[in-house]
Amino acid sequence: MQRRELLKKLALGAGAVVALPSWANAWSSSKLVSSGVFSSLEQGLLSSIAGTFIPEGKTEPGALGLGVDKFLDRLFADCYTEEDLQKIMEGMTLLNSTAETSYKKPFSECTQAQRESLLIGFSEPSTVDKEWFYDTLKKETIRGYTTSEYVMVNHYDYVMAPGHYDGCVDVVEA
């Protein structure tokens, strides 16, 4: 290995070690930036759908309280194909228009019971895209909720680094 290459790698490694703690401390769901794939209307629909699947409880936060709608936005933008994104957008448009015809108001303004009935209508196997839309959003909302930090720590007793080290223990000889 040449000396210049070694020095470049050492400098790059030292820079990463210095930058990593500041990046890791700045991470929070409140600072999660929108993907820009969905319009503001579609983001509102995504929030309403997530809030319908997992509503806020009296003592426990729901999907919106944990930022699952932001998770869904980034997940769909980063991990789904353009074809799947198109199906999601078409499903949201169809859901909103169904709410308009059924209840004379957008999906986001419907009551919890009305939103549930609209979504259940999409779960019935009438067309593949409607059923796929319902199944995908339900599955990903549940995944976003159950893998959130709040649920993992408070309900699954998840510990970031399992085990405990106590360095002040007397060693007993046998």
Side-chain angles (χ1 to χ4, degrees), residues 15-26:
V17 168
V18 169
L20 183 63
S22 64
W23 172 81
N25 287 336

Side-chain angles (χ1 to χ4, degrees), residues 125-145:
S126 59
T127 66
V128 175
D129 288 345
K130 281 173 60 174
E131 189 177 5
W132 179 89
F133 170 78
Y134 173 82
D135 290 340
T136 301
L137 264 72
K138 182 178 178 183
K139 175 184 68 173
E140 298 299 358
T141 300
I142 292 170
R143 179 166 67 146
Y145 185 80

